Amino acid sequence: MSKWKPLEKMKILGKKYPRIDGAEKVTGRARYTYDQFKEGMLYGAILGSRYPAAKIVKIDDSMVWSLPGVKAVLTDVHPTGRVRYVGEEIAAVAATTPEILGEALRLFRVEYEKLPFTLYLEEAMKDEAPRVFPRRSNVNKPRIREEGNVEQGFAQAEVVLEDTFRTQVQIQTPLESHGSMVYWDGDELIIYDSTQAVHGVREGIAKMLDMPLHKVRVICHHMGGGFGSKLQPGIYTVIAARLAKQANAPVRLMLDRQLEFLTTGNRPDSLSRIKMGAKRDGTITAFFAKTYGTAGIGNGAGVRLPIVYSIPNVRHEHHDVYTNAGAARPFRAPGCPQASFAMEQMMDEMAEKLGMDPLQFRLKNDSNPTRQKEWMIGAERFGWHRRKVTPASDPGPIKRGMGLGASIWWPGGRGTKASMKIYSDGSVEVFCGTQDLGTGTRTHIAAVAAEELGLELKQIKVHIGDSNYPRSGASGGSTTSPSVAPAIKNTAEKARQELGKILAEHWNVSPEAIIFSDGYVIASGEAKQRLSWKEACGLLETDVLEVHGEWSEGLSSSGVAGCQFAEVEVDTDTGKIRVLRIVAVADCGLILDRLTTESQVNGGIIQGISYALFEERLFDPQTGAMVNPNFETYKIVGTMETPEIEVILFDEPERGVIGIGEPPTIPTSGAIANAVYNAIGVRIKSLPMTPDKVLQALANQKA
Amino acid sequence: MYNFEYLNPTSLEEVSEVLAHSDGETVLLAGGTDLLDRLKEHLLRPRQVVNLKNVRELYTIERNEGLTIGALVTIADLAADAYIQENYPALSQAARSIATPQIRNMGTVGGNLAQRPRCWYFRGVEYRCLKKGGRKCYAVEGLNKYHAIMGGGPCYIVHPSDLAPVLIAYGARVTISGANGTREIPLEQFFQLPAKDLKKENVLNENEMITRITLPPQPENTYSLYLKFKELESHDFAVVSVAVVLHTRKKRITDASLVLGGVAPIPWKIPEAGALLKGKELTEPAIQAVAEQSVKGSDPLPQNGYKVHLTRNLVRRALTEIQQQL
Amino acid sequence: MSEKKNNKVKGITRRDFLKGLGSGAIGSAILTGGGLIPAESKAELLGPGAEKIHGTQKIELLINGKKERLTVEPRTTLLTAIRDKLHLTGTKEVCDRGQCGACTVLIDEKPMLACMMLAVDVRGKAITTVEGLSGSGKLTPVQEAFVEKDALMCGFCTPGFVMAATALLKKNPDPSLEEIKQGLAGNLCRCGTYPKVFEAVKAAAAKMRKGVAHE
């Protein structure tokens, strides 16, 4: 297996080129799961629990059945009948039209025995709080991380700071909701699913339905966003399959926006109590954190502290806390934005206490050589030297400030398999059971194949998003590119070798002499033979050349660094924070496509701004229902909130392909918070940083 | 959405005919941006939906000594009207601040005035709140950061209209038609507090509709401004908004009208503003006095105290902006 | 009749059904194949063009320059009509409440939200969906620019953005960045592709102005 060519020899990789499915997407021809239709298809929906904690005494579906157009009903979708959050699946129905479906859902008569519930992190932690699981404390046993000796570290410290930070629950809420269109073909189940893992869903659904793997097929040609929430098989798919069986008809079941908000995952909230010690020279000596977070009825609310900076003595105790809410799921850089919001503010507080510039303080405590370079590049481009030293020094009610934060990520990827077919007319097909979440995977596959075969992008037909194709893992954790790109390279290389053998024989040269370049196959050296790609493939006559390849070592790596600089404007009359400008330096390894890479970084930053300023799941304390399961009151950054964003891609092609999706969303909220402090001289220690909090903080400062 | 019968009258006369036969289960459909939302949430179950969009009489923008605006004029058309931009600039500002380009193309003036509150408890079918015949206002012990700081009780909604505060500040009148004829009242009297009637926000009877708004002419040297504070600039209702209309002569204020949006269950007029400013120049102390007056008697809920600061600051900012134009 | 069968199977009479609905005052409602339909209004509408629609109705919509016949109920939204009845699925369903712009279509050239309109309300109007922009198969300058600038990621919001941008440029051929942001403020993107959308609209505007100058 050979290494990647040097960047200067690349024709496609590392360059800017539009995605290959762009035209399909801008014309509406791209068919998502939500767009799948089959003759006789029914519309399915799930009835969610109305209460956050209850026993289901009885579900009467007789009214539902009496509505003309209702074709299938399930009242046994909950395994125990003991529900633990509003929206938890308790029944389902399929009907002939969306209108009838909406009406049918309102005709279930459900008798509940209501039970006490607890909704918020800090309330659920109290001894008297109702238990989410009767035999378990709401507060889980701690997970402890320890490095060095934290007592000694604090003893060495000359300055010790303590502070507390809070972050909110954020919902992935992709625009295409979770859901499936399913139909039975005999005893085989065909599933169109909006998923980040066609193979994972096949395995999961087969297990849940107790079916052999080969009788389940999962397809996802295009998907409308996931951000981590679509990595697992969905109960909605099982429900759709059962409804389809009962009605003997295809069923499309897409969650409505409310259930999307309630049941398909979230980024857990956090409470972080932090103590940090440093020497006068700016060396951090010790870090202690006690953190809590709620993943609803699930686990995995960890806060990845300390994040980014190198500290010799660390102790971190974390407790997951149960609440009556839907379980968390991975959300772009799980555990990291929560940690970064707290960490970056602690760093700034300490820098201020030590009388150091925040950037200098970071440089002193950041051991990552890539980021050391990135800090300088970003600071220069951003104009960090123009940051005012004294916070809140602008005259007038509208004040500006600057702040910064760092990003980090760990996983690489592995494990992808792929296959390639080359036909005698020169056409090329690549098959890989991965999926394109909008990151550009389909395009990257074409790019790697074209680069390796010396062809153009448009000559490669890419087939992905089908569990019939060679296995690839879930697209999550920024693992897709480092996992898929090497597999495609390996597959293309094998194809080249096979084709090379045929041509070597044809020209009677050694196979090593065959070169694939610019649409030609060339015998290098003395032979000076040359055939166009198409002519060369003609030698295959009617045979199809089919090769299989897989991920291999040395073409991708893990570990990502980056940093961001933010400039904000705070209106002290209204409490509103406006982000004016973000400069991001993103660690990219070998870039597959500069255009889609920039888009990913933009996206991470914009979701970070949204997290910093707007988004928050809000539960009504009286009913346990979410008051804002919609895009009116669950607020998301729109065009008017989008600042000027400058993305600087920091290439290190020698590292091979790395994943870049998660890191850019990590530091944004912390960088903004630090900029807000720089603007108004008050720290906002809780997310989202909404006008009410800013006005309150300003009022407290005055008082 | 439940099924309904769709009626498509083509004249006001026919609308009256429909309304005369209504038994309280008829709703009127104009732009649909609010009504369809409530139908989809199953908040209402009308027998008949009466489409008003084919009633031509409702579309006029007519210049007379003042201005008459038909109830079906879209927000976009209102915002784009050059005469309004020139003579009632705050009305243009308010229209432009509403929702999104798409919704402005659909939503209408009448609909904007008659729209129902955005309170998340009112909008959620799971909460049987006072407005829906229930026994409590969920906002009181629940989440209330966007709720009323004035005029609330027993229900704490805020009125969501952006046009209403401005129209009231300009002294607009509203014409109401129904099966029993037509009446015209000051727009200010159109809205009513929950203390008076929990089920609705205005005096429209079930068989009545808004047909037009009439604006009086504004004297020379009128200064007006609509300032809207929203969390999301892209698409949001007002957290607080301020409509100011000042009539002046030689820099002295001859009449002043200040109406707040987003703070109370109705557009909230500050009647004292007139008395505080009349005969005076718009000086810093005068501005400060009006700003203080505007929040006098406010009675915030546990999570919306910030709206008091916000209101005071926005009133000051609005008057300061006008001061700079004078 | 499936209705009868269902009733029989489950032993439910119509009276039970109506009682079960519980919201009162629907004693005169009737059941039909399309669900529950309230009784007809006694109002007499005699004017030209006036009508009552009760139950299902065959209508004609002018979509992308083509007359499409379909059967709808009064409650059928334009979004359901075009997506589920005509299978024009380029127009996306996301929030279904007028909050995201994914279902933006042009009604007589103005951008509006298909989820918040009744299909019966747009009879006689020129409806353009994303499929109608490039009927000839050639991308419009807006579509081209969206592809070239990568103004899309997952693509689920993209048709809505393309429609809003098309309408914006028709009204304002040379928009500033601020005007682009305002013109597209009704469209939500969860992937966060806005900066590239702004670039694309700028590029499309330039291309279109150049095109006009050449003609």
Side-chain angles (χ1 to χ4, degrees), chain A residues 105-117:
Chain A
L105 268 181
R106 312 232 355 116
L107 293 174
F108 284 99
R109 291 290 165 261
V110 185
E111 205 181 303
Y112 298 89
E113 185 191 321
K114 289 197 264 174
L115 298 166
F117 57 88

Side-chain angles (χ1 to χ4, degrees), chain C residues 27-213:
Chain C
S28 55
I30 49 160
L31 278 170
T32 72
L36 189 80
I37 302 170
E40 200 173 325
S41 163
K42 292 189 188 74
E44 285 190 37
L45 301 183
L46 301 169
E51 61 174 347
K52 293 189 214 174
I53 301 180
H54 202 79
T56 56
Q57 173 93 0
K58 279 204 174 113
I59 63 167
E60 197 176 85
L61 294 179
L62 183 61
I63 300 187
N64 302 329
K66 228 172 91 189
K67 283 182 184 165
E68 302 276 5
R69 288 173 173 283
L70 62 159
T71 304
V72 299
E73 293 174 304
R75 64 176 164 175
T76 306
T77 61
L78 176 59
L79 183 61
T80 303
I82 58 185
R83 280 183 56 83
D84 296 298
K85 295 190 184 287
L86 301 173
H87 305 301
L88 292 168
T89 53
T91 308
K92 299 299 181 217
E93 181 172 340
V94 171
C95 73
D96 201 31
R97 295 294 185 279
Q99 299 157 351
C100 75
C103 67
T104 302
V105 295
L106 307 184
I107 307 288
D108 291 339
E109 301 200 341
K110 287 181 182 164
M112 298 193 197
L113 302 171
C115 76
M116 299 303 268
M117 321 180 89
L118 299 177
V120 291
D121 265 3
V122 285
R123 288 170 293 168
K125 309 222 179 250
I127 303 161
T128 311
T129 70
V130 70
E131 290 89 350
L133 292 182
S134 51
S136 59
K138 193 177 170 320
L139 299 185
T140 66
V142 169
Q143 290 173 319
E144 227 166 54
F146 267 64
V147 176
E148 276 168 20
K149 300 290 178 190
D150 203 43
L152 54 108
M153 284 193 247
C154 83
F156 215 67
C157 69
T158 307
F161 266 103
V162 167
M163 298 312 282
T166 301
L168 168 68
L169 293 185
K170 192 138 220 168
K171 228 171 104 178
N172 180 357
D174 189 12
S176 65
L177 176 62
E178 191 60 20
E179 287 166 335
I180 293 171
K181 288 183 177 182
Q182 284 166 357
L184 304 178
N187 294 75
L188 211 58
C189 166
R190 187 51 165 159
C191 299
T193 197
Y194 302 117
K196 301 264 189 213
V197 169
F198 305 153
E199 268 183 58
V201 176
K202 271 256 168 216
K207 197 181 264 182
M208 286 162 80
R209 287 197 309 275
K210 226 166 140 191
V212 169

Side-chain angles (χ1 to χ4, degrees), chain A residues 18-19 22-23 25-28 30-32 34-35 37 43 62-63 65-68 70-71 98-100 103 107 109 170-176 223-225 227 252 257 331-332 437-438 595-596 598-600 602-603 606-607 610 615 630-632 634 636-640 642 645, chain C residues 2-3 6-7 10 12 16-17 20-21 31-36 73 75-77 80 83-84 87 89-90 92-95 99-100 130-131 134 139 143 146-150 152-159 161-162 178 181-182 184-185 187-196 198:
Chain A
R19 60 184 77 214
K25 289 183 175 179
V26 298
T27 53
R31 287 217 176 230
Y32 296 73
Y34 217 128
D35 303 328
F37 180 81
Y43 297 83
S62 51
M63 296 300 167
W65 274 113
S66 65
L67 187 68
V70 168
K71 299 294 179 192
E99 290 88 357
I100 295 171
E103 214 170 324
L107 293 174
R109 291 290 165 261
Q170 183 189 22
I171 313 276
Q172 290 91 340
T173 194
L175 291 197
E176 182 182 33
M223 67 91 75
F227 315 109
R252 186 171 83 207
R257 194 49 53 183
F331 189 168
R332 207 170 194 165
L437 318 185
L595 210 47
T596 51
E598 283 172 5
S599 287
Q600 279 288 294
N602 278 336
I606 287 169
Q607 281 185 353
S610 213
E615 298 183 33
N630 57 61
F631 289 133
E632 177 192 334
Y634 184 93
I636 287 175
V637 161
T639 56
M640 299 296 288
T642 301
I645 297 175
Chain C
S2 63
E3 166 212 333
N6 278 341
N7 285 353
K10 288 284 159 181
I12 295 289
D16 288 334
F17 179 78
L21 292 172
L31 278 170
T32 72
L36 189 80
E73 293 174 304
R75 64 176 164 175
T76 306
T77 61
T80 303
R83 280 183 56 83
D84 296 298
H87 305 301
T89 53
K92 299 299 181 217
E93 181 172 340
V94 171
C95 73
Q99 299 157 351
C100 75
V130 70
E131 290 89 350
S134 51
L139 299 185
Q143 290 173 319
F146 267 64
V147 176
E148 276 168 20
K149 300 290 178 190
D150 203 43
L152 54 108
M153 284 193 247
C154 83
F156 215 67
C157 69
T158 307
F161 266 103
V162 167
E178 191 60 20
K181 288 183 177 182
Q182 284 166 357
L184 304 178
N187 294 75
L188 211 58
C189 166
R190 187 51 165 159
C191 299
T193 197
Y194 302 117
K196 301 264 189 213
F198 305 153

Side-chain angles (χ1 to χ4, degrees), chain B:
Chain B
M1 215 182 321
Y2 295 113
N3 236 331
F4 47 78
E5 183 188 31
Y6 175 86
L7 302 178
N8 206 359
T10 51
S11 66
L12 269 181
E13 210 180 338
E14 281 187 345
V15 176
S16 302
E17 160 80 9
V18 172
L19 291 174
H21 286 88
S22 153
D23 46 10
E25 293 182 65
T26 298
V27 294
L28 302 173
L29 170 64
T33 54
D34 177 24
L35 180 65
L36 259 66
D37 189 16
R38 286 182 288 125
L39 288 172
K40 288 179 180 201
E41 295 292 344
H42 299 94
L43 292 177
L44 72 170
R45 178 167 208 171
R47 279 194 202 211
Q48 280 91 34
V49 171
V50 184
N51 175 35
L52 298 174
K53 284 188 287 294
N54 290 317
V55 181
R56 296 197 70 96
E57 298 122 281
L58 295 172
Y59 282 93
T60 46
I61 298 184
E62 191 187 304
R63 288 157 59 172
N64 26 54
E65 65 273 34
L67 186 71
T68 299
I69 304 166
L72 265 278
V73 169
T74 64
I75 306 297
D77 286 343
L78 190 74
D81 190 278
Y83 184 79
I84 293 176
Q85 283 168 10
E86 180 71 29
N87 294 281
Y88 302 94
L91 185 56
S92 295
Q93 291 158 7
R96 281 198 301 273
S97 80
I98 293 171
T100 65
Q102 289 92 325
I103 290 175
R104 291 196 290 275
N105 281 332
M106 302 163 73
T108 65
V109 172
N112 186 271
L113 298 175
Q115 67 181 311
R116 305 302 310 275
R118 304 306 305 178
C119 168
W120 40 38
Y121 294 111
F122 172 68
R123 294 272 158 179
V125 75
E126 56 269 58
Y127 317 100
R128 242 178 94 69
C129 74
L130 288 172
K131 275 206 165 292
K132 290 178 277 189
R135 273 182 306 198
K136 71 167 179 177
C137 171
Y138 282 75
V140 174
E141 289 173 18
L143 302 182
N144 48 44
K145 79 180 266 198
Y146 301 118
H147 286 80
I149 54 169
M150 300 170 198
C155 150
Y156 286 85
I157 57 144
V158 294
H159 202 280
S161 173
D162 286 305
L163 299 183
V166 179
L167 289 168
I168 291 171
Y170 280 126
R173 297 174 70 81
V174 57
T175 303
I176 297 168
S177 298
N180 305 323
T182 295
R183 58 192 169 121
E184 194 196 59
I185 56 169
L187 184 60
E188 196 184 337
Q189 291 166 22
F190 175 75
F191 298 100
Q192 57 183 16
L193 286 170
K196 194 147 190 201
D197 187 342
L198 270 175
K199 295 275 174 75
K200 53 186 191 173
E201 297 78 46
N202 54 54
V203 299
L204 278 181
N205 292 315
E206 261 155 2
N207 57 358
E208 287 185 322
M209 63 176 281
I210 297 172
T211 50
R212 60 177 180 270
I213 301 295
T214 312
L215 281 163
Q218 301 296 307
E220 253 183 82
N221 299 321
T222 295
Y223 292 87
S224 63
L225 185 72
Y226 184 65
L227 211 56
K228 173 178 177 179
F229 179 74
K230 40 186 172 179
E231 286 187 340
L232 268 184
E233 212 52 49
S234 296
H235 179 192
D236 218 342
F237 289 90
V239 178
V240 175
S241 69
V242 179
V244 196
V245 176
L246 297 184
H247 297 164
T248 66
R249 193 176 304 137
K250 293 186 183 147
K251 292 211 163 190
R252 270 184 199 284
I253 296 158
T254 55
D255 201 1
S257 185
L258 172 65
V259 185
L260 307 176
V263 299
I266 58 171
W268 195 251
K269 190 162 183 176
I270 309 296
E272 298 85 356
L276 282 170
L277 292 175
K278 224 173 210 172
K280 294 192 182 141
E281 285 191 27
L282 197 56
T283 57
E284 290 300 332
I287 290 173
Q288 198 55 38
V290 175
E292 287 306 329
Q293 183 64 44
S294 68
V295 293
K296 221 172 219 172
S298 59
D299 186 12
L301 295 162
Q303 293 145 25
N304 67 9
Y306 76 102
K307 285 178 75 168
V308 177
H309 302 286
L310 186 54
T311 305
R312 189 193 292 118
N313 294 345
L314 278 184
V315 168
R316 200 179 48 226
R317 183 170 284 183
L319 290 172
T320 307
E321 272 189 37
I322 292 183
Q323 183 191 37
Q324 283 153 7
Q325 295 168 28
L326 279 171

Side-chain angles (χ1 to χ4, degrees), chain A residues 244-556:
Chain A
K245 185 139 237 177
Q246 194 184 108
N248 194 23
V251 170
R252 186 171 83 207
L253 194 165
M254 303 304 294
L255 297 188
D256 66 19
R257 194 49 53 183
Q258 186 169 13
L259 285 186
E260 180 69 28
F261 271 101
L262 289 166
T263 67
T264 64
N266 53 68
R267 181 190 300 290
D269 57 6
S270 70
L271 165 64
S272 300
R273 300 187 198 283
I274 299 176
K275 186 176 164 189
M276 190 162 94
K279 289 193 195 159
R280 289 254 168 243
D281 70 355
T283 315
I284 305 174
T285 58
F287 184 94
F288 174 78
K290 202 164 164 60
T291 63
Y292 303 86
T294 177
I297 64 160
N299 283 98
V303 183
R304 223 157 170 159
L305 278 170
I307 193 166
V308 175
Y309 304 103
S310 312
I311 304 172
N313 305 297
V314 171
R315 184 178 164 88
H316 177 196
E317 295 170 20
H318 173 78
H319 299 265
D320 271 10
V321 178
Y322 294 125
T323 51
N324 288 103
R329 289 185 190 175
F331 189 168
R332 207 170 194 165
C336 293
Q338 298 96 304
S340 176
F341 177 69
M343 189 79 202
E344 296 294 354
Q345 295 214 69
M346 278 310 279
M347 292 295 287
D348 263 32
E349 285 187 59
M350 183 59 88
E352 189 177 32
K353 197 90 179 177
L354 297 172
M356 283 179 81
D357 177 88
L359 176 60
Q360 293 309 320
F361 181 55
R362 281 169 175 79
L363 287 169
K364 183 136 185 120
N365 291 285
D366 187 347
S367 61
N368 183 302
T370 300
R371 205 183 296 101
Q372 284 282 341
K373 289 180 234 163
E374 291 172 336
W375 281 123
M376 301 317 290
I377 295 169
E380 162 91 42
R381 194 72 141 256
F382 181 73
W384 179 253
H385 63 280
R386 288 199 298 271
R387 174 181 177 270
K388 52 178 99 34
V389 178
T390 315
S393 47
D394 282 351
I398 296 173
K399 300 179 189 299
R400 287 191 175 195
M402 292 180 175
L404 44 69
S407 59
I408 186 168
W409 194 244
W410 303 270
R414 54 201 307 131
T416 292
K417 292 182 161 62
S419 68
M420 182 180 280
K421 283 185 186 173
I422 297 173
Y423 297 89
S424 57
D425 67 348
S427 51
V428 181
E429 290 184 297
V430 185
F431 300 84
C432 180
T434 183
Q435 46 280 313
D436 190 341
L437 318 185
T439 51
T441 304
R442 182 180 272 111
T443 305
H444 305 154
I445 288 174
V448 173
E451 183 73 57
E452 290 296 318
L453 298 177
L455 299 176
E456 288 177 47
L457 271 175
K458 61 177 185 221
Q459 290 176 271
I460 314 289
K461 173 72 188 163
V462 179
H463 299 274
I464 58 170
D466 192 326
S467 61
N468 278 356
Y469 302 151
R471 199 180 193 291
S472 181
S475 295
S478 300
T479 58
T480 312
S481 289
S483 167
V484 170
I488 304 304
K489 179 173 180 345
N490 176 264
T491 309
E493 206 171 309
K494 284 186 176 167
R496 231 170 42 201
Q497 283 163 5
E498 292 299 314
L499 202 56
K501 269 191 231 162
I502 294 170
L503 283 152
E505 206 168 293
H506 180 68
W507 284 324
N508 197 19
V509 296
S510 95
E512 289 77 53
I514 307 293
I515 293 170
F516 294 76
S517 175
D518 291 324
Y520 288 93
V521 184
I522 302 159
S524 63
E526 290 179 7
K528 294 253 183 244
Q529 298 281 357
R530 189 174 99 147
L531 283 177
S532 74
W533 169 261
K534 200 174 164 172
E535 288 164 343
C537 293
L539 298 176
L540 293 167
E541 293 173 352
T542 57
D543 282 350
V544 178
L545 175 65
E546 185 169 351
V547 293
H548 293 262
E550 62 188 327
W551 182 87
S552 66
E553 202 80 51
L555 297 171
S556 57

Side-chain angles (χ1 to χ4, degrees), chain A residues 127-140:
Chain A
D127 287 339
E128 67 272 23
R131 285 188 164 191
V132 175
F133 299 98
R135 278 179 292 277
R136 281 148 81 181
S137 163
N138 288 341
V139 180
N140 284 241

